[in-house]
Amino acid sequence: LESHEGYDDPLVYPEQPGASHHHIFFGNTTVDAFTTPESLLEATETTCDGDTLNQSAYWVPALYDGNGERIPYIEPLFYYKTGYHLPPESIQAPPAGLRMIAGDANATEPQNSAIVKFRCDSWEPDQVWFDPGDPLDHVPYLPDCETDDMLEIRIVFPQCWDGVNLDSPDHKSHMAYPSEATPPIAGTGSCPDTHPIAIPEISYNFAFYATADRGPTSTWRFASDLHHNVDGGISAHADWINGWNADIMETIVTNCLHPAYECMVGLLGDGTRLESVIED
């Protein structure tokens, strides 16, 4: 669920309140321009499953429809998976205090669709892919979905850590993407020698109905798109600061990721489940 919104960015503009474009925050309810990995752990509530067992910070630029109205992020999903490229048994829990950015807020041309990806739910892909639930027909810009179709958005974080730095000046260089496996065979990729530590693939996943009153989806814009006057979706990006309870994340990695089980959202693979933030 959305936690709050504002014009802060504790990674790009630390201690500079109001310096950023419009962001929507999820998870930790205390995030502002002065947030640090240490201050996250002081939060007494979050909008994440498990509440303070996951005090992580998640944020993305606000999304506006063709009329300039903000579109709420309804029931977003934040996945921690093996991904399709690395051997599942190689995954390690992310270290405390790790933070990073996926995507480029200053992009002026389409980004790699392995990082920022969009698709319309009605599309029928004709190529081979790893899993029926993850087709490979995404595009790196906001497409024109038909009315009553569903627009799907996914932003994928780098999965390979250098093993030393919890951050870097650009909030990216301490991380890298793995070499890609070739579908349908998963797990044949690898992390580069410079970034040898594999962590879970973190992705932010959103879905929005394309309705007549919101205008064509190709006219929608992120706050960062508006700032740079580029085509829709070009500047999509996401930020993350690790605030997980270390034991819980280790349990997820051991019980779900190493054996490559689909534990589903909130399940720990041992018969227990994090308390859901969404009422059944």
Side-chain angles (χ1 to χ4, degrees):
L1 297 178
E2 292 184 3
S3 168
H4 56 290
E5 58 184 291
Y7 293 82
D8 291 350
D9 190 324
L11 290 186
V12 179
Y13 297 106
E15 301 184 9
Q16 299 179 62
S20 174
H21 51 252
H22 192 187
H23 278 121
I24 308 302
F25 296 86
F26 309 86
N28 198 303
T29 60
T30 67
V31 178
D32 60 19
F34 299 94
T35 292
T36 65
E38 294 73 27
S39 72
L40 287 181
L41 305 183
E42 299 173 3
T44 58
E45 64 177 6
T46 80
T47 64
C48 294
D49 286 352
D51 196 34
T52 54
L53 291 175
N54 180 9
Q55 295 166 304
S56 301
Y58 310 79
W59 68 98
V60 295
L63 179 63
Y64 302 96
D65 66 20
N67 304 308
E69 298 293 328
R70 187 174 84 80
I71 305 175
Y73 288 91
I74 304 297
E75 296 185 12
L77 292 174
F78 303 102
Y79 286 133
Y80 293 76
K81 293 189 173 184
T82 60
Y84 296 106
H85 306 300
L86 298 176
E89 64 275 10
S90 71
I91 305 298
Q92 299 183 29
L98 185 66
R99 52 266 198 200
M100 56 180 163
I101 293 176
D104 184 0
N106 296 309
T108 57
E109 58 185 30
Q111 302 182 60
N112 189 326
S113 61
I115 302 171
V116 172
K117 52 182 67 180
F118 307 89
R119 73 182 301 274
C120 304
D121 184 60
S122 63
W123 290 357
E124 296 183 2
D126 58 4
Q127 67 262 62
V128 175
W129 62 89
F130 294 108
D131 183 278
D134 189 31
L136 297 179
D137 58 352
H138 294 85
V139 295
Y141 51 84
L142 284 167
D144 196 1
C145 299
E146 296 182 1
T147 300
D148 296 328
D149 200 354
M150 183 82 76
L151 171 67
E152 300 173 357
I153 300 175
R154 181 178 302 179
I155 304 173
V156 181
F157 283 81
Q159 196 177 0
C160 301
W161 176 45
D162 67 11
V164 177
N165 300 292
L166 298 176
D167 198 1
S168 51
D170 63 357
H171 314 293
K172 298 179 182 181
S173 298
H174 61 305
M175 303 296 300
Y177 288 88
S179 61
E180 295 185 355
T182 302
I185 307 301
T188 57
S190 62
C191 284
D193 292 342
T194 55
H195 297 73
I197 308 299
I199 66 169
E201 181 190 84
I202 302 170
S203 66
Y204 294 5
N205 301 262
F206 310 103
F208 305 92
Y209 281 108
T211 58
D213 61 310
R214 286 177 170 169
T217 53
S218 59
T219 67
W220 297 4
R221 294 291 184 271
F222 287 100
S224 48
D225 293 336
L226 296 172
H227 182 67
H228 297 291
N229 193 30
V230 296
D231 294 334
I234 298 299
S235 69
H237 60 285
D239 302 61
W240 177 82
I241 304 177
N242 186 20
W244 274 93
N245 174 284
D247 291 338
I248 294 296
M249 178 51 66
E250 191 64 49
T251 297
I252 293 171
V253 169
T254 300
N255 292 349
C256 300
L257 303 191
H258 284 171
Y261 291 157
E262 176 55 86
C263 285
M264 304 302 289
V265 175
L267 298 180
L268 302 183
D270 59 2
T272 60
R273 175 181 178 178
L274 297 174
E275 182 179 357
S276 178
V277 71
I278 299 175
E279 296 183 1
D280 294 330

PDB file of all heavy atoms in Angstrom, residues 29 44 46 79 94-95 104 107 126 162 164 178 189 197 212 237 241 245 248 253 280:
ATOM      1  N   THR A  29       6.811   4.242   7.008  1.00  0.00           N
ATOM      2  CA  THR A  29       6.011   5.473   7.001  1.00  0.00           C
ATOM      3  C   THR A  29       6.805   6.711   7.401  1.00  0.00           C
ATOM      4  O   THR A  29       6.278   7.824   7.340  1.00  0.00           O
ATOM      5  CB  THR A  29       4.813   5.337   7.962  1.00  0.00           C
ATOM      6  OG1 THR A  29       5.289   5.092   9.291  1.00  0.00           O
ATOM      7  CG2 THR A  29       3.906   4.189   7.542  1.00  0.00           C
ATOM      8  N   THR A  44       7.836   2.561  13.884  1.00  0.00           N
ATOM      9  CA  THR A  44       6.939   1.717  14.683  1.00  0.00           C
ATOM     10  C   THR A  44       5.806   1.133  13.859  1.00  0.00           C
ATOM     11  O   THR A  44       5.022   0.331  14.362  1.00  0.00           O
ATOM     12  CB  THR A  44       6.341   2.525  15.852  1.00  0.00           C
ATOM     13  OG1 THR A  44       5.637   3.659  15.329  1.00  0.00           O
ATOM     14  CG2 THR A  44       7.448   2.997  16.782  1.00  0.00           C
ATOM     15  N   THR A  46       4.705   0.165   9.406  1.00  0.00           N
ATOM     16  CA  THR A  46       4.966   0.227   7.971  1.00  0.00           C
ATOM     17  C   THR A  46       3.708  -0.247   7.249  1.00  0.00           C
ATOM     18  O   THR A  46       2.760  -0.734   7.878  1.00  0.00           O
ATOM     19  CB  THR A  46       6.142  -0.679   7.544  1.00  0.00           C
ATOM     20  OG1 THR A  46       5.690  -2.036   7.447  1.00  0.00           O
ATOM     21  CG2 THR A  46       7.291  -0.594   8.529  1.00  0.00           C
ATOM     22  N   TYR A  79       8.464  -7.816  -5.247  1.00  0.00           N
ATOM     23  CA  TYR A  79       8.928  -9.205  -5.250  1.00  0.00           C
ATOM     24  C   TYR A  79      10.395  -9.309  -4.876  1.00  0.00           C
ATOM     25  O   TYR A  79      11.226  -8.488  -5.274  1.00  0.00           O
ATOM     26  CB  TYR A  79       8.729  -9.829  -6.629  1.00  0.00           C
ATOM     27  CG  TYR A  79       7.304 -10.163  -6.985  1.00  0.00           C
ATOM     28  CD1 TYR A  79       6.790  -9.800  -8.226  1.00  0.00           C
ATOM     29  CD2 TYR A  79       6.479 -10.857  -6.102  1.00  0.00           C
ATOM     30  CE1 TYR A  79       5.485 -10.114  -8.581  1.00  0.00           C
ATOM     31  CE2 TYR A  79       5.176 -11.170  -6.446  1.00  0.00           C
ATOM     32  CZ  TYR A  79       4.679 -10.797  -7.686  1.00  0.00           C
ATOM     33  OH  TYR A  79       3.382 -11.097  -8.032  1.00  0.00           O
ATOM     34  N   PRO A  94      20.396  -9.910   1.261  1.00  0.00           N
ATOM     35  CA  PRO A  94      21.050  -8.606   1.113  1.00  0.00           C
ATOM     36  C   PRO A  94      21.542  -8.096   2.463  1.00  0.00           C
ATOM     37  O   PRO A  94      20.900  -8.313   3.489  1.00  0.00           O
ATOM     38  CB  PRO A  94      19.944  -7.714   0.541  1.00  0.00           C
ATOM     39  CG  PRO A  94      18.664  -8.394   0.910  1.00  0.00           C
ATOM     40  CD  PRO A  94      18.969  -9.850   0.934  1.00  0.00           C
ATOM     41  N   PRO A  95      22.683  -7.427   2.491  1.00  0.00           N
ATOM     42  CA  PRO A  95      23.231  -6.963   3.763  1.00  0.00           C
ATOM     43  C   PRO A  95      22.428  -5.806   4.348  1.00  0.00           C
ATOM     44  O   PRO A  95      21.784  -5.041   3.619  1.00  0.00           O
ATOM     45  CB  PRO A  95      24.642  -6.505   3.387  1.00  0.00           C
ATOM     46  CG  PRO A  95      24.519  -6.094   1.952  1.00  0.00           C
ATOM     47  CD  PRO A  95      23.541  -7.062   1.350  1.00  0.00           C
ATOM     48  N   ASP A 104      16.786   5.118 -14.591  1.00  0.00           N
ATOM     49  CA  ASP A 104      17.453   6.412 -14.712  1.00  0.00           C
ATOM     50  C   ASP A 104      16.432   7.544 -14.796  1.00  0.00           C
ATOM     51  O   ASP A 104      15.729   7.683 -15.802  1.00  0.00           O
ATOM     52  CB  ASP A 104      18.341   6.410 -15.962  1.00  0.00           C
ATOM     53  CG  ASP A 104      19.152   7.675 -16.125  1.00  0.00           C
ATOM     54  OD1 ASP A 104      19.039   8.578 -15.279  1.00  0.00           O
ATOM     55  OD2 ASP A 104      19.906   7.760 -17.117  1.00  0.00           O
ATOM     56  N   ALA A 107      16.895   9.813 -17.883  1.00  0.00           N
ATOM     57  CA  ALA A 107      16.949   9.215 -19.217  1.00  0.00           C
ATOM     58  C   ALA A 107      16.187  10.067 -20.226  1.00  0.00           C
ATOM     59  O   ALA A 107      15.117  10.607 -19.926  1.00  0.00           O
ATOM     60  CB  ALA A 107      16.370   7.804 -19.188  1.00  0.00           C
ATOM     61  N   ASP A 126       4.636 -14.089 -28.766  1.00  0.00           N
ATOM     62  CA  ASP A 126       4.856 -15.221 -29.663  1.00  0.00           C
ATOM     63  C   ASP A 126       6.256 -15.802 -29.530  1.00  0.00           C
ATOM     64  O   ASP A 126       6.640 -16.665 -30.310  1.00  0.00           O
ATOM     65  CB  ASP A 126       4.596 -14.808 -31.112  1.00  0.00           C
ATOM     66  CG  ASP A 126       5.471 -13.639 -31.558  1.00  0.00           C
ATOM     67  OD1 ASP A 126       6.337 -13.205 -30.763  1.00  0.00           O
ATOM     68  OD2 ASP A 126       5.289 -13.177 -32.696  1.00  0.00           O
ATOM     69  N   ASP A 162      28.800  -5.787  -5.058  1.00  0.00           N
ATOM     70  CA  ASP A 162      30.268  -5.882  -5.073  1.00  0.00           C
ATOM     71  C   ASP A 162      30.838  -6.492  -3.800  1.00  0.00           C
ATOM     72  O   ASP A 162      32.041  -6.762  -3.714  1.00  0.00           O
ATOM     73  CB  ASP A 162      30.917  -4.517  -5.368  1.00  0.00           C
ATOM     74  CG  ASP A 162      30.713  -3.491  -4.255  1.00  0.00           C
ATOM     75  OD1 ASP A 162      30.254  -3.838  -3.155  1.00  0.00           O
ATOM     76  OD2 ASP A 162      31.024  -2.302  -4.506  1.00  0.00           O
ATOM     77  N   VAL A 164      31.252  -5.165  -0.922  1.00  0.00           N
ATOM     78  CA  VAL A 164      31.988  -4.230  -0.075  1.00  0.00           C
ATOM     79  C   VAL A 164      31.141  -3.014   0.282  1.00  0.00           C
ATOM     80  O   VAL A 164      30.956  -2.689   1.463  1.00  0.00           O
ATOM     81  CB  VAL A 164      33.284  -3.761  -0.769  1.00  0.00           C
ATOM     82  CG1 VAL A 164      34.005  -2.731   0.094  1.00  0.00           C
ATOM     83  CG2 VAL A 164      34.181  -4.945  -1.073  1.00  0.00           C
ATOM     84  N   PRO A 178      23.116  -9.303 -13.655  1.00  0.00           N
ATOM     85  CA  PRO A 178      23.803 -10.530 -14.083  1.00  0.00           C
ATOM     86  C   PRO A 178      23.742 -10.702 -15.597  1.00  0.00           C
ATOM     87  O   PRO A 178      22.918 -10.079 -16.273  1.00  0.00           O
ATOM     88  CB  PRO A 178      23.010 -11.630 -13.373  1.00  0.00           C
ATOM     89  CG  PRO A 178      21.617 -11.065 -13.272  1.00  0.00           C
ATOM     90  CD  PRO A 178      21.806  -9.583 -13.033  1.00  0.00           C
ATOM     91  N   GLY A 189      22.885 -17.801 -16.109  1.00  0.00           N
ATOM     92  CA  GLY A 189      23.621 -16.553 -16.089  1.00  0.00           C
ATOM     93  C   GLY A 189      24.547 -16.492 -14.888  1.00  0.00           C
ATOM     94  O   GLY A 189      24.620 -17.426 -14.085  1.00  0.00           O
ATOM     95  N   ILE A 197      28.526 -11.126  -5.556  1.00  0.00           N
ATOM     96  CA  ILE A 197      27.548 -11.593  -4.572  1.00  0.00           C
ATOM     97  C   ILE A 197      26.132 -11.453  -5.121  1.00  0.00           C
ATOM     98  O   ILE A 197      25.672 -10.347  -5.414  1.00  0.00           O
ATOM     99  CB  ILE A 197      27.661 -10.818  -3.245  1.00  0.00           C
ATOM    100  CG1 ILE A 197      29.092 -10.821  -2.732  1.00  0.00           C
ATOM    101  CG2 ILE A 197      26.689 -11.395  -2.215  1.00  0.00           C
ATOM    102  CD1 ILE A 197      29.640 -12.206  -2.450  1.00  0.00           C
ATOM    103  N   ALA A 212     -11.372   5.170 -20.032  1.00  0.00           N
ATOM    104  CA  ALA A 212     -11.576   6.306 -20.936  1.00  0.00           C
ATOM    105  C   ALA A 212     -11.329   7.637 -20.243  1.00  0.00           C
ATOM    106  O   ALA A 212     -10.795   8.577 -20.846  1.00  0.00           O
ATOM    107  CB  ALA A 212     -12.993   6.258 -21.510  1.00  0.00           C
ATOM    108  N   HIS A 237      11.926   4.881 -12.743  1.00  0.00           N
ATOM    109  CA  HIS A 237      12.994   4.442 -11.859  1.00  0.00           C
ATOM    110  C   HIS A 237      12.400   4.120 -10.497  1.00  0.00           C
ATOM    111  O   HIS A 237      11.222   4.401 -10.236  1.00  0.00           O
ATOM    112  CB  HIS A 237      14.075   5.524 -11.722  1.00  0.00           C
ATOM    113  CG  HIS A 237      13.556   6.813 -11.156  1.00  0.00           C
ATOM    114  ND1 HIS A 237      12.793   7.708 -11.887  1.00  0.00           N
ATOM    115  CD2 HIS A 237      13.666   7.362  -9.911  1.00  0.00           C
ATOM    116  CE1 HIS A 237      12.466   8.742 -11.140  1.00  0.00           C
ATOM    117  NE2 HIS A 237      12.981   8.551  -9.929  1.00  0.00           N
ATOM    118  N   ILE A 241      15.823   1.020   0.103  1.00  0.00           N
ATOM    119  CA  ILE A 241      16.768   0.920   1.216  1.00  0.00           C
ATOM    120  C   ILE A 241      16.356  -0.292   2.053  1.00  0.00           C
ATOM    121  O   ILE A 241      15.205  -0.404   2.475  1.00  0.00           O
ATOM    122  CB  ILE A 241      16.777   2.178   2.102  1.00  0.00           C
ATOM    123  CG1 ILE A 241      17.061   3.437   1.282  1.00  0.00           C
ATOM    124  CG2 ILE A 241      17.820   2.032   3.210  1.00  0.00           C
ATOM    125  CD1 ILE A 241      17.007   4.721   2.106  1.00  0.00           C
ATOM    126  N   ASN A 245      14.108  -7.342   8.709  1.00  0.00           N
ATOM    127  CA  ASN A 245      14.610  -8.133   9.819  1.00  0.00           C
ATOM    128  C   ASN A 245      15.506  -9.215   9.218  1.00  0.00           C
ATOM    129  O   ASN A 245      15.084  -9.974   8.341  1.00  0.00           O
ATOM    130  CB  ASN A 245      13.444  -8.758  10.583  1.00  0.00           C
ATOM    131  CG  ASN A 245      13.883  -9.713  11.672  1.00  0.00           C
ATOM    132  OD1 ASN A 245      14.287 -10.830  11.393  1.00  0.00           O
ATOM    133  ND2 ASN A 245      13.776  -9.280  12.915  1.00  0.00           N
ATOM    134  N   ILE A 248      14.274 -12.904   9.216  1.00  0.00           N
ATOM    135  CA  ILE A 248      13.158 -13.165   8.306  1.00  0.00           C
ATOM    136  C   ILE A 248      13.658 -13.263   6.863  1.00  0.00           C
ATOM    137  O   ILE A 248      13.277 -14.174   6.110  1.00  0.00           O
ATOM    138  CB  ILE A 248      12.084 -12.070   8.421  1.00  0.00           C
ATOM    139  CG1 ILE A 248      11.435 -12.102   9.807  1.00  0.00           C
ATOM    140  CG2 ILE A 248      11.029 -12.234   7.332  1.00  0.00           C
ATOM    141  CD1 ILE A 248      10.667 -13.374  10.100  1.00  0.00           C
ATOM    142  N   VAL A 253      15.231 -16.564   2.003  1.00  0.00           N
ATOM    143  CA  VAL A 253      16.279 -17.025   1.086  1.00  0.00           C
ATOM    144  C   VAL A 253      16.482 -18.535   1.211  1.00  0.00           C
ATOM    145  O   VAL A 253      16.559 -19.254   0.213  1.00  0.00           O
ATOM    146  CB  VAL A 253      17.596 -16.268   1.353  1.00  0.00           C
ATOM    147  CG1 VAL A 253      18.760 -16.918   0.599  1.00  0.00           C
ATOM    148  CG2 VAL A 253      17.462 -14.805   0.952  1.00  0.00           C
ATOM    149  N   ASP A 280      -8.246  -9.760   4.042  1.00  0.00           N
ATOM    150  CA  ASP A 280      -8.833 -10.801   3.167  1.00  0.00           C
ATOM    151  C   ASP A 280     -10.308 -10.528   2.937  1.00  0.00           C
ATOM    152  O   ASP A 280     -10.978  -9.938   3.757  1.00  0.00           O
ATOM    153  CB  ASP A 280      -8.648 -12.173   3.809  1.00  0.00           C
ATOM    154  CG  ASP A 280      -7.184 -12.572   3.898  1.00  0.00           C
ATOM    155  OD1 ASP A 280      -6.395 -12.139   3.031  1.00  0.00           O
ATOM    156  OD2 ASP A 280      -6.833 -13.317   4.829  1.00  0.00           O
TER     157      ASP A 280
END
